[in-house]
PDB file of all heavy atoms in Angstrom:
ATOM      1  N   VAL B  44     176.468 112.078  68.178  1.00  0.00           N
ATOM      2  CA  VAL B  44     176.759 113.202  69.062  1.00  0.00           C
ATOM      3  C   VAL B  44     177.787 112.785  70.146  1.00  0.00           C
ATOM      4  O   VAL B  44     178.721 113.476  70.404  1.00  0.00           O
ATOM      5  CB  VAL B  44     175.464 113.800  69.678  1.00  0.00           C
ATOM      6  CG1 VAL B  44     175.817 114.695  70.871  1.00  0.00           C
ATOM      7  CG2 VAL B  44     174.689 114.524  68.618  1.00  0.00           C
ATOM      8  N   LEU B  45     177.509 111.642  70.745  1.00  0.00           N
ATOM      9  CA  LEU B  45     178.438 111.158  71.777  1.00  0.00           C
ATOM     10  C   LEU B  45     179.825 110.915  71.219  1.00  0.00           C
ATOM     11  O   LEU B  45     180.850 111.188  71.862  1.00  0.00           O
ATOM     12  CB  LEU B  45     177.850 109.883  72.417  1.00  0.00           C
ATOM     13  CG  LEU B  45     176.606 110.053  73.228  1.00  0.00           C
ATOM     14  CD1 LEU B  45     176.096 108.649  73.650  1.00  0.00           C
ATOM     15  CD2 LEU B  45     176.854 110.900  74.444  1.00  0.00           C
ATOM     16  N   ASN B  46     179.888 110.378  69.976  1.00  0.00           N
ATOM     17  CA  ASN B  46     181.216 110.178  69.325  1.00  0.00           C
ATOM     18  C   ASN B  46     181.899 111.518  69.128  1.00  0.00           C
ATOM     19  O   ASN B  46     183.090 111.648  69.303  1.00  0.00           O
ATOM     20  CB  ASN B  46     181.008 109.440  67.983  1.00  0.00           C
ATOM     21  CG  ASN B  46     182.291 109.312  67.221  1.00  0.00           C
ATOM     22  OD1 ASN B  46     183.177 108.497  67.585  1.00  0.00           O
ATOM     23  ND2 ASN B  46     182.434 110.109  66.160  1.00  0.00           N
ATOM     24  N   HIS B  47     181.120 112.570  68.694  1.00  0.00           N
ATOM     25  CA  HIS B  47     181.672 113.877  68.470  1.00  0.00           C
ATOM     26  C   HIS B  47     182.292 114.412  69.780  1.00  0.00           C
ATOM     27  O   HIS B  47     183.379 114.960  69.779  1.00  0.00           O
ATOM     28  CB  HIS B  47     180.607 114.824  67.940  1.00  0.00           C
ATOM     29  CG  HIS B  47     181.066 116.207  67.759  1.00  0.00           C
ATOM     30  ND1 HIS B  47     181.788 116.599  66.672  1.00  0.00           N
ATOM     31  CD2 HIS B  47     180.879 117.316  68.529  1.00  0.00           C
ATOM     32  CE1 HIS B  47     182.038 117.909  66.753  1.00  0.00           C
ATOM     33  NE2 HIS B  47     181.559 118.347  67.877  1.00  0.00           N
ATOM     34  N   LEU B  48     181.542 114.260  70.872  1.00  0.00           N
ATOM     35  CA  LEU B  48     182.040 114.741  72.162  1.00  0.00           C
ATOM     36  C   LEU B  48     183.324 114.000  72.564  1.00  0.00           C
ATOM     37  O   LEU B  48     184.303 114.631  73.000  1.00  0.00           O
ATOM     38  CB  LEU B  48     180.982 114.610  73.243  1.00  0.00           C
ATOM     39  CG  LEU B  48     179.668 115.377  73.014  1.00  0.00           C
ATOM     40  CD1 LEU B  48     178.709 115.077  74.154  1.00  0.00           C
ATOM     41  CD2 LEU B  48     179.907 116.876  72.923  1.00  0.00           C
ATOM     42  N   ARG B  49     183.350 112.697  72.346  1.00  0.00           N
ATOM     43  CA  ARG B  49     184.530 111.937  72.695  1.00  0.00           C
ATOM     44  C   ARG B  49     185.757 112.337  71.852  1.00  0.00           C
ATOM     45  O   ARG B  49     186.849 112.513  72.350  1.00  0.00           O
ATOM     46  CB  ARG B  49     184.256 110.434  72.528  1.00  0.00           C
ATOM     47  CG  ARG B  49     183.304 109.925  73.592  1.00  0.00           C
ATOM     48  CD  ARG B  49     182.985 108.418  73.378  1.00  0.00           C
ATOM     49  NE  ARG B  49     182.096 107.918  74.367  1.00  0.00           N
ATOM     50  CZ  ARG B  49     180.897 107.334  74.149  1.00  0.00           C
ATOM     51  NH1 ARG B  49     180.471 107.197  72.886  1.00  0.00           N
ATOM     52  NH2 ARG B  49     180.172 106.868  75.127  1.00  0.00           N
ATOM     53  N   GLN B  50     185.509 112.469  70.561  1.00  0.00           N
ATOM     54  CA  GLN B  50     186.585 112.879  69.658  1.00  0.00           C
ATOM     55  C   GLN B  50     187.098 114.269  70.013  1.00  0.00           C
ATOM     56  O   GLN B  50     188.303 114.605  69.832  1.00  0.00           O
ATOM     57  CB  GLN B  50     186.142 112.869  68.201  1.00  0.00           C
ATOM     58  CG  GLN B  50     186.001 111.445  67.643  1.00  0.00           C
ATOM     59  CD  GLN B  50     185.861 111.448  66.128  1.00  0.00           C
ATOM     60  OE1 GLN B  50     186.106 112.433  65.457  1.00  0.00           O
ATOM     61  NE2 GLN B  50     185.442 110.317  65.593  1.00  0.00           N
ATOM     62  N   GLY B  51     186.174 115.121  70.562  1.00  0.00           N
ATOM     63  CA  GLY B  51     186.586 116.459  70.912  1.00  0.00           C
ATOM     64  C   GLY B  51     187.165 116.593  72.326  1.00  0.00           C
ATOM     65  O   GLY B  51     187.476 117.688  72.745  1.00  0.00           O
ATOM     66  N   GLY B  52     187.301 115.445  73.010  1.00  0.00           N
ATOM     67  CA  GLY B  52     187.923 115.504  74.333  1.00  0.00           C
ATOM     68  C   GLY B  52     186.954 115.519  75.512  1.00  0.00           C
ATOM     69  O   GLY B  52     187.367 115.580  76.647  1.00  0.00           O
ATOM     70  N   LEU B  53     185.652 115.461  75.223  1.00  0.00           N
ATOM     71  CA  LEU B  53     184.640 115.447  76.288  1.00  0.00           C
ATOM     72  C   LEU B  53     184.054 114.057  76.354  1.00  0.00           C
ATOM     73  O   LEU B  53     183.060 113.747  75.683  1.00  0.00           O
ATOM     74  CB  LEU B  53     183.566 116.515  75.981  1.00  0.00           C
ATOM     75  CG  LEU B  53     182.752 117.041  77.155  1.00  0.00           C
ATOM     76  CD1 LEU B  53     181.988 118.298  76.706  1.00  0.00           C
ATOM     77  CD2 LEU B  53     181.758 116.016  77.672  1.00  0.00           C
ATOM     78  N   LEU B  54     184.661 113.198  77.163  1.00  0.00           N
ATOM     79  CA  LEU B  54     184.215 111.798  77.287  1.00  0.00           C
ATOM     80  C   LEU B  54     183.156 111.718  78.386  1.00  0.00           C
ATOM     81  O   LEU B  54     183.466 112.068  79.545  1.00  0.00           O
ATOM     82  CB  LEU B  54     185.362 110.893  77.615  1.00  0.00           C
ATOM     83  CG  LEU B  54     186.315 110.532  76.512  1.00  0.00           C
ATOM     84  CD1 LEU B  54     187.239 111.730  76.148  1.00  0.00           C
ATOM     85  CD2 LEU B  54     187.214 109.358  76.919  1.00  0.00           C
ATOM     86  N   PRO B  55     181.903 111.297  78.044  1.00  0.00           N
ATOM     87  CA  PRO B  55     180.837 111.364  79.059  1.00  0.00           C
ATOM     88  C   PRO B  55     181.155 110.597  80.313  1.00  0.00           C
ATOM     89  O   PRO B  55     180.835 111.054  81.424  1.00  0.00           O
ATOM     90  CB  PRO B  55     179.666 110.741  78.296  1.00  0.00           C
ATOM     91  CG  PRO B  55     179.897 111.062  76.899  1.00  0.00           C
ATOM     92  CD  PRO B  55     181.402 110.961  76.723  1.00  0.00           C
ATOM     93  N   GLY B  56     181.770 109.445  80.208  1.00  0.00           N
ATOM     94  CA  GLY B  56     182.117 108.659  81.387  1.00  0.00           C
ATOM     95  C   GLY B  56     183.140 109.368  82.249  1.00  0.00           C
ATOM     96  O   GLY B  56     183.066 109.441  83.489  1.00  0.00           O
ATOM     97  N   THR B  57     184.176 109.901  81.615  1.00  0.00           N
ATOM     98  CA  THR B  57     185.299 110.481  82.337  1.00  0.00           C
ATOM     99  C   THR B  57     184.833 111.807  83.033  1.00  0.00           C
ATOM    100  O   THR B  57     185.182 112.025  84.217  1.00  0.00           O
ATOM    101  CB  THR B  57     186.420 110.835  81.337  1.00  0.00           C
ATOM    102  OG1 THR B  57     186.880 109.572  80.782  1.00  0.00           O
ATOM    103  CG2 THR B  57     187.580 111.507  82.120  1.00  0.00           C
ATOM    104  N   VAL B  58     184.066 112.647  82.320  1.00  0.00           N
ATOM    105  CA  VAL B  58     183.674 113.931  82.986  1.00  0.00           C
ATOM    106  C   VAL B  58     182.686 113.671  84.101  1.00  0.00           C
ATOM    107  O   VAL B  58     182.600 114.476  85.058  1.00  0.00           O
ATOM    108  CB  VAL B  58     183.087 114.927  81.937  1.00  0.00           C
ATOM    109  CG1 VAL B  58     184.139 115.275  80.901  1.00  0.00           C
ATOM    110  CG2 VAL B  58     181.822 114.437  81.275  1.00  0.00           C
ATOM    111  N   TYR B  59     181.882 112.563  84.035  1.00  0.00           N
ATOM    112  CA  TYR B  59     181.061 112.284  85.175  1.00  0.00           C
ATOM    113  C   TYR B  59     181.856 111.748  86.343  1.00  0.00           C
ATOM    114  O   TYR B  59     181.669 112.196  87.480  1.00  0.00           O
ATOM    115  CB  TYR B  59     180.007 111.233  84.784  1.00  0.00           C
ATOM    116  CG  TYR B  59     179.126 110.807  85.957  1.00  0.00           C
ATOM    117  CD1 TYR B  59     178.177 111.679  86.438  1.00  0.00           C
ATOM    118  CD2 TYR B  59     179.324 109.586  86.539  1.00  0.00           C
ATOM    119  CE1 TYR B  59     177.409 111.316  87.569  1.00  0.00           C
ATOM    120  CE2 TYR B  59     178.573 109.230  87.668  1.00  0.00           C
ATOM    121  CZ  TYR B  59     177.602 110.078  88.134  1.00  0.00           C
ATOM    122  OH  TYR B  59     176.877 109.732  89.255  1.00  0.00           O
ATOM    123  N   GLU B  60     182.727 110.770  86.107  1.00  0.00           N
ATOM    124  CA  GLU B  60     183.481 110.185  87.183  1.00  0.00           C
ATOM    125  C   GLU B  60     184.456 111.162  87.838  1.00  0.00           C
ATOM    126  O   GLU B  60     184.739 111.086  89.042  1.00  0.00           O
ATOM    127  CB  GLU B  60     184.254 108.973  86.691  1.00  0.00           C
ATOM    128  CG  GLU B  60     183.303 107.806  86.259  1.00  0.00           C
ATOM    129  CD  GLU B  60     184.066 106.733  85.523  1.00  0.00           C
ATOM    130  OE1 GLU B  60     185.259 106.886  85.201  1.00  0.00           O
ATOM    131  OE2 GLU B  60     183.418 105.721  85.143  1.00  0.00           O
ATOM    132  N   THR B  61     184.952 112.118  87.038  1.00  0.00           N
ATOM    133  CA  THR B  61     185.942 113.069  87.552  1.00  0.00           C
ATOM    134  C   THR B  61     185.332 114.308  88.158  1.00  0.00           C
ATOM    135  O   THR B  61     185.695 114.774  89.236  1.00  0.00           O
ATOM    136  CB  THR B  61     186.886 113.423  86.428  1.00  0.00           C
ATOM    137  OG1 THR B  61     187.489 112.271  85.842  1.00  0.00           O
ATOM    138  CG2 THR B  61     188.056 114.315  86.977  1.00  0.00           C
ATOM    139  N   TYR B  62     184.358 114.888  87.405  1.00  0.00           N
ATOM    140  CA  TYR B  62     183.802 116.175  87.814  1.00  0.00           C
ATOM    141  C   TYR B  62     182.353 116.151  88.206  1.00  0.00           C
ATOM    142  O   TYR B  62     181.781 117.197  88.604  1.00  0.00           O
ATOM    143  CB  TYR B  62     183.959 117.198  86.639  1.00  0.00           C
ATOM    144  CG  TYR B  62     185.322 117.289  86.060  1.00  0.00           C
ATOM    145  CD1 TYR B  62     185.624 116.869  84.797  1.00  0.00           C
ATOM    146  CD2 TYR B  62     186.415 117.776  86.836  1.00  0.00           C
ATOM    147  CE1 TYR B  62     186.873 116.901  84.236  1.00  0.00           C
ATOM    148  CE2 TYR B  62     187.680 117.789  86.320  1.00  0.00           C
ATOM    149  CZ  TYR B  62     187.916 117.377  85.019  1.00  0.00           C
ATOM    150  OH  TYR B  62     189.218 117.412  84.512  1.00  0.00           O
ATOM    151  N   GLY B  63     181.717 114.979  88.121  1.00  0.00           N
ATOM    152  CA  GLY B  63     180.278 114.912  88.506  1.00  0.00           C
ATOM    153  C   GLY B  63     179.422 115.599  87.505  1.00  0.00           C
ATOM    154  O   GLY B  63     178.326 116.085  87.841  1.00  0.00           O
TER     155      GLY B  63
END
Side-chain angles (χ1 to χ4, degrees):
V44 166
L45 293 173
N46 176 73
H47 178 79
L48 298 178
R49 290 178 178 122
Q50 287 192 14
L53 202 167
L54 286 72
T57 299
V58 298
Y59 176 73
E60 292 169 357
T61 306
Y62 309 114

